[in-house]
C-alpha cells in the first residue's frame, strides 16, 4: 500500500435511481413530476439572453431568494438557496452538525443522510421506525448533536403531523432540527409556520418534485436569520456561485405561477388516491401516502419479482434491497395514462402467479 493511500477519504457513495433512456419506457423510479414546469419557465427560456452567461451570477441569488420569501411570507434573510436540496442538506450538515454527540435520524429514511454523516465524519444513530414505519418520538428525547426528519418520509411515504414536529422541537431546543420537506406539497402541512416559534428549526424544500424542475437543481432552506446567516457563511467559504443564472431566472418563474402549481399537485393527488384503491384490489398494501409516490408490498408476490416483471415491460420503479424494506416497491405517481399502464401490467403479473 502506498503511503498516500491511507490519507484518502474513502466513502461509500449514495446511489441515485437509474436514469434509463429507453423508447416507450414509463419512468416511475425517481419521484420526478410527470407534468412540465410552469408555462412561465418556457417563456423565460425562450427570452433568455445568452449574453448573460458571460458574467458570474449574483452570489446572493437575490431574485430567487426574494421570490421565495414573498411566497412564504418570510424575510429574505430567512431564505437560503442551493443546487437542489441535496446541496442545501449537505451544507446544513456541514454547518450545524459539529458536535461530538451523535445526530439522529430514522433507520429507514432518505439514504443520503448517512452518506453525508460519513463524508463529514459526523457520528450518528438511527433509531428504528415502528412496524408501521412511524417514528417513535421518545427515541428523539435523548442527548444528540442534531436531528434530521424527512417529512413526509422517503421511501415510506408516511407523514407525521405538525404536533409531532412541534413535540420533537420542544424536546430538542439545544440542537438543530432539520425537517426535509421534499414531498410536503403533496398533502402535508409544512413546519414553516413553526419558524417564528423555534430558532433551532431549519425547513428544507426542493423544486425537484412538486415544481417539476429536477433537471434545474434548485433547493432551499427556511429558518430564522441567525441560521441562514451561518449556512451562507459556510457556502461562501466553499463555493460562492452555486446558483447559475438560468436556475435563478427559471426558478423565479416556477414560484410565481401558484395556480399552475396547485393544478399539478391536485392532479397527482387524485391519481395517487385512485391508484391506491386499484392496487389494494390487486392484493397490495401500503402506508397512507402524503407524497407523489406509493410504497407498496404484495401479500403473495415478492417485490423483487414484481420489479423485474415491470422492468421487462419497460416500467421502471424503485426497489431497495435493504433490511425491512426489501419486499416493497416505491412507485412514483405518473400521469393517468402511465398509471393505467402500470395497473394493467401489475394485474397481469398478479394473475400469472
Ligand atoms: C428527492 C429528495 C431530495 C433531494 O432533492 P433535490 O433534487 O436534490 O432537490 C431530498 N430529500 C428527499 C427526502 C428526497 O426525496
Amino acid at each position: 500500500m502506498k503511503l498516500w493511500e491511507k490519507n484518502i477519504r474513502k466513502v461509500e457513495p449514495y446511489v441515485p435511481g437509474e436514469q434509463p433512456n429507453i423508447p416507450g419506457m414509463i419512468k416511475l423510479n425517481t419521484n420526478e413530476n410527470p407534468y412540465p414546469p410552469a408555462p412561465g419557465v418556457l417563456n423565460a427560456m425562450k427570452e433568455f439572453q445568452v449574453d448573460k452567461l458571460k458574467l458570474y451570477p449574483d452570489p446572493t441569488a437575490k431574485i430567487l431568494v426574494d421570490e421565495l420569501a414573498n411566497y412564504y411570507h418570510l424575510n429574505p434573510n430567512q431564505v437560503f438557496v442551493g443546487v437542489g436540496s441535496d446541496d442545501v442538506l449537505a451544507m446544513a450538515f456541514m454547518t450545524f452538525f459539529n458536535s461530538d454527540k451523535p445526530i439522529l435520524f430514522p433507520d429507514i429514511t432518505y439514504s443520503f443522510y448517512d452518506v453525508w454523516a460519513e463524508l463529514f465524519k459526523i457520528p450518528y444513530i438511527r433509531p428504528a421506525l415502528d412496524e408501521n414505519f412511524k417514528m417513535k418520538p421518545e427515541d428523539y428525547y435523548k442527548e444528540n448533536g442534531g436531528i434530521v426528519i424527512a417529512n413526509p418520509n422517503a421511501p415510506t411515504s408516511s407523514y407525521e403531523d405538525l404536533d409531532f414536529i412541534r413535540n420533537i422541537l420542544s424536546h430538542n431546543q439545544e440542537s438543530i432540527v432539520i425537517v426535509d420537506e421534499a414531498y410536503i406539497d403533496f398533502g402535508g402541512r409544512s413546519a414553516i409556520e413553526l419558524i417564528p416559534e423555534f430558532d433551532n428549526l431549519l425547513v428544507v424544500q426542493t423544486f425537484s418534485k412538486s415544481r417539476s424542475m429536477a433537471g434545474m437543481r434548485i433547493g432551499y432552506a427556511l429558518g430564522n436569520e441567525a441560521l441562514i446567516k451561518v449556512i451562507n457563511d459556510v457556502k461562501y467559504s466553499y463555493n460562492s456561485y452555486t446558483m447559475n443564472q438560468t436556475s435563478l431566472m427559471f426558478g423565479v418563474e416556477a414560484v410565481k405561477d401558484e395556480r399552475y402549481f396547485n393544478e399539478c399537485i391536485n392532479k397527482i393527488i387524485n391519481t395517487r388516491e385512485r391508484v391506491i384503491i386499484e392496487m389494494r384490489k390487486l392484493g397490495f398494501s401500503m402506508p397512507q401516502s402524503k407524497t407523489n409516490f406509493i410504497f407498496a408490498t404484495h401479500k403473495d408476490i415478492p417485490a423483487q419479482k414484481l420489479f423485474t416483471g415491470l422492468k421487462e415491460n419497460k416500467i421502471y420503479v424503485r426497489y431497495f434491497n435493504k433490511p425491512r424494506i426489501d419486499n416493497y416497491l416505491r412507485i412514483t405517481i405518473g400521469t393517468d395514462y402511465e398509471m393505467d399502464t402500470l395497473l394493467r401490467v401489475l394485474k397481469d403479473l398478479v394473475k400469472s402467479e
Side-chain angles (χ1 to χ4, degrees), residues 14 30-31 83-89 109-110 112-113 116 150-154 180-183 204-209 213-214 217-220 293 330:
Y14 171 76
T30 48
N31 296 345
V83 188
S85 53
D86 286 342
D87 177 50
V88 174
L89 288 162
T109 189
Y110 189 40
F112 227 138
Y113 301 154
W116 286 316
N151 193 42
N153 196 14
D180 177 354
E181 294 188 334
Y183 301 102
V204 177
Q205 295 193 3
T206 175
F207 283 48
S208 297
K209 279 83 184 216
M213 289 177 87
R217 311 305 302 129
I218 306 173
Y220 51 100
F293 61 90
R330 194 196 68 188

Side-chain angles (χ1 to χ4, degrees), residues 3 71 77 115 130 156 175 190 249 263 274 291 308-309 344:
L3 214 51
Y71 182 81
N77 61 16
V115 174
D130 73 14
T156 63
S175 42
S190 173
M249 296 181 73
E263 261 172 37
R274 184 174 71 81
T291 61
T308 311
R344 207 162 47 238

